[in-house]
Amino acid sequence: LRMGLPAASPPPVAQSKLEELVQKLVPERLDELFKDVQERQKKNPRLPSDYTLSQLLKSYTGYNAWMAKAAKDGSVSSLRKQLEALPASSEDDTVIADKASSLMKIGRRHVYDGDYALAREVILEAYSMVQDKPKVQAVMKDDDYPRLLEWTGMVKHWTYDLNGAEACYTKCAELEPINAEVLVKKAGVAMDASKHSEAFELFHKALEIDPDAIDALLHRANLRMLQADLNAAKADLERCVKLRPDYVMAHLRLAAVLTSTNDPLGAKKHLEAAGRVDPDSSDVQSYRGELLFTQNEFAEAKQYFEKAIKMEPKNPTPYVNAALAVLNTPPPPGRQMDMAQEAIGLLEKAIEVDPQFQAAYLQLCQLKLGMATDLATAREVVDLYDKGLSYCRTKEEMKDMVGMKILTQAQVDGATTLKMETFNP
């Protein structure tokens, strides 16, 4: 059964009974593991991969304006010199405010340079200088204080400090009540906290402020896709591309929705539109491969996934997709094990470029367990599940992996009890 072969006789425990037992065990084990995750996150916050963060930032229409300001501000070294020119030790509110503004600009420049860990560190330092100091906040120049709140909300969200992020966005929204983009970011925090009703309400408020708020439409569509409300997601995304025909991300999301609703021609149209805007996009190639995959064109799909990998080696998705294409391709005689090893290599590479990419762990663990012939290899699979679980941030991310780990651990424990050293008949 483990290797997908027909059993010679009925198994001693029915598959349905095993599934029932796992469903009973998962909630309790999930609670225990999630407590460990929360404690670890407090002690040692982990950032998502650089690629994930860059994609998140680019999903906001303000991204180009932020990066233009960062470029105009100059290099980190020049900004540091400006900071050092301020009085070293001063209790003057204006000096403290100027230092906080300088640090915020340094943090923003780190984002421009792709140094996200340094950006988070510097922005949090800037925020600590003005937090609970209304006099300092009041003398910050231009819109520096609201922007510091917004950036602090973002970097807190990166490490799943959802309460901290929400507090910053709430204060920013109070200062700028007609800033729709801040409400969208706050809605993103609500989504990650599984507060979907609250997120919908925030998207609604953002669209009341600006009926053409593309960010609100795109991110609301993401939520509707999560809830499998594909018709509503399609409507939001169609409005996105109507308002902004060159919006690659909206075209790609819409292509995914159309693929899921069995409209391959519509999906292809939007993939072509995205490709015309950004022919060097790794995601465009990956989505093209996914469309072909749904049509069982596995060899051609794999070629697009390989193009995507070449264009952006740090994007984990096409590695997993390429592995699935390999596994779904009928192997030539004598090549089954070679193809399985190729898929394993691709999945391992996905984890290498993004250790938090849960889909890679699930596929790799199942594949390795299916090929395991001895207990030592099966125990390695259990360890791999543990590694994947250590990178999870929410119960939702952990749920499937916990269930699979329980089943794998049961096999290992059962084989150990029976003094088995091999799974071979």
Side-chain angles (χ1 to χ4, degrees):
L1 288 173
R2 178 180 54 78
M3 299 181 71
L5 302 173
S9 59
V13 179
Q15 182 72 18
S16 59
K17 185 63 177 177
L18 283 174
E19 292 172 358
E20 181 185 336
L21 287 170
V22 169
Q23 291 305 312
K24 287 182 178 178
L25 291 169
V26 164
E28 181 181 342
R29 189 71 184 117
L30 196 57
D31 287 339
E32 293 174 10
L33 288 169
F34 189 59
K35 286 179 183 176
D36 293 341
V37 165
Q38 288 179 310
E39 287 300 316
R40 182 211 70 217
Q41 192 69 0
K42 286 178 183 176
K43 293 177 182 176
N44 182 29
R46 283 175 175 162
L47 288 174
S49 70
D50 289 354
Y51 179 79
T52 298
L53 287 176
S54 71
Q55 292 300 103
L56 173 63
L57 289 164
K58 289 174 184 176
S59 73
Y60 297 111
T61 52
Y63 175 79
N64 289 334
W66 305 334
M67 296 303 95
K69 286 181 180 178
K72 186 178 179 181
D73 288 338
S75 66
V76 169
S77 60
S78 66
L79 289 168
R80 282 283 178 191
K81 287 178 182 177
Q82 293 173 31
L83 176 62
E84 291 164 4
L86 294 170
S89 58
S90 175
E91 297 300 319
D92 183 87
D93 292 337
T94 303
V95 173
I96 296 172
D98 288 345
K99 286 183 176 180
S101 293
S102 291
L103 285 169
M104 180 188 69
K105 290 176 182 177
I106 291 170
R108 187 168 60 195
R109 180 65 196 209
H110 279 311
V111 171
Y112 178 89
D113 294 333
D115 294 327
Y116 300 111
L118 288 173
R120 174 180 174 273
E121 180 183 324
V122 173
I123 288 168
L124 290 178
E125 181 185 355
Y127 182 62
S128 70
M129 296 175 72
V130 306
Q131 188 177 12
D132 301 323
K133 295 177 182 177
K135 290 183 179 179
V136 176
Q137 298 163 10
V139 295
M140 290 184 76
K141 295 174 183 175
D142 303 319
D143 65 345
D144 281 2
Y145 180 51
R147 297 290 70 75
L148 178 56
L149 284 168
E150 186 176 11
W151 276 108
T152 305
M154 281 193 279
V155 301
K156 284 179 178 287
H157 192 179
W158 294 351
T159 55
Y160 256 62
D161 178 2
L162 301 183
N163 291 334
E166 181 185 21
C168 287
Y169 288 140
T170 298
K171 182 64 177 174
C172 188
E174 289 171 358
L175 295 172
E176 298 181 331
I178 60 170
N179 188 331
E181 192 169 301
V182 169
L183 293 178
V184 173
K185 291 186 176 74
K186 187 178 177 183
V189 174
M191 284 174 63
D192 283 340
S194 298
K195 298 176 182 177
H196 291 180
S197 296
E198 183 179 324
F200 273 123
E201 185 178 342
L202 288 162
F203 287 133
H204 179 71
K205 287 180 180 178
L207 288 164
E208 280 186 330
I209 293 168
D210 179 5
D212 295 339
I214 291 173
D215 290 349
L217 292 167
L218 178 76
H219 289 270
R220 187 172 70 177
N222 290 342
L223 177 53
R224 284 174 163 165
M225 289 172 73
L226 284 173
Q227 296 185 328
D229 187 355
L230 298 184
N231 288 332
K234 179 184 173 185
D236 279 345
L237 292 166
E238 286 176 337
R239 180 152 175 74
C240 267
V241 297
K242 184 178 180 180
L243 291 166
R244 185 174 158 188
D246 64 346
Y247 197 3
V248 171
M249 201 168 292
H251 280 293
L252 295 179
R253 294 283 191 279
L254 186 49
V257 169
L258 293 170
T259 299
S260 298
T261 54
N262 297 314
D263 184 2
L265 292 178
K268 186 178 180 181
K269 181 185 78 171
H270 286 284
L271 290 175
E272 288 173 350
R276 285 193 295 272
V277 177
D278 189 358
D280 297 325
S281 167
S282 170
D283 284 326
V284 170
Q285 304 306 322
S286 193
Y287 274 77
R288 282 174 170 163
E290 288 173 24
L291 177 59
L292 289 165
F293 188 98
T294 64
Q295 298 169 332
N296 296 325
E297 300 288 345
F298 302 121
E300 194 174 349
K302 182 169 178 278
Q303 290 177 2
Y304 277 106
F305 298 142
E306 288 170 343
K307 285 182 183 178
I309 291 167
K310 188 175 181 180
M311 288 176 171
E312 179 46 82
K314 291 185 178 180
N315 181 355
T317 301
Y319 291 101
V320 174
N321 288 342
L324 293 175
V326 169
L327 293 172
N328 280 276
T329 301
R335 288 265 297 136
Q336 185 173 357
M337 290 303 296
D338 291 340
M339 292 177 73
Q341 288 299 329
E342 181 185 357
I344 286 174
L346 287 162
L347 293 168
E348 288 176 338
K349 187 64 179 179
I351 291 172
E352 179 186 327
V353 300
D354 187 354
Q356 297 183 31
F357 198 59
Q358 302 305 317
Y361 289 99
L362 287 168
Q363 296 294 339
L364 182 58
C365 287
Q366 290 179 63
L367 179 56
K368 282 195 166 187
L369 185 64
M371 296 174 62
T373 58
D374 56 72
L375 270 177
T377 305
R379 290 190 183 103
E380 289 175 5
V381 173
V382 174
D383 292 340
L384 188 58
Y385 274 125
D386 284 334
K387 178 183 176 182
L389 286 166
S390 75
Y391 281 100
C392 290
R393 297 176 298 177
T394 67
K395 283 187 177 181
E396 197 61 36
E397 286 182 352
M398 300 174 77
K399 189 175 180 181
D400 288 343
M401 202 174 296
V402 169
M404 297 303 296
K405 185 201 167 184
I406 288 172
L407 282 172
T408 306
Q409 187 70 62
Q411 291 186 50
V412 171
D413 291 346
T416 302
T417 300
L418 293 171
K419 302 186 183 321
M420 295 170 59
E421 290 299 329
T422 176
F423 284 131
N424 286 332

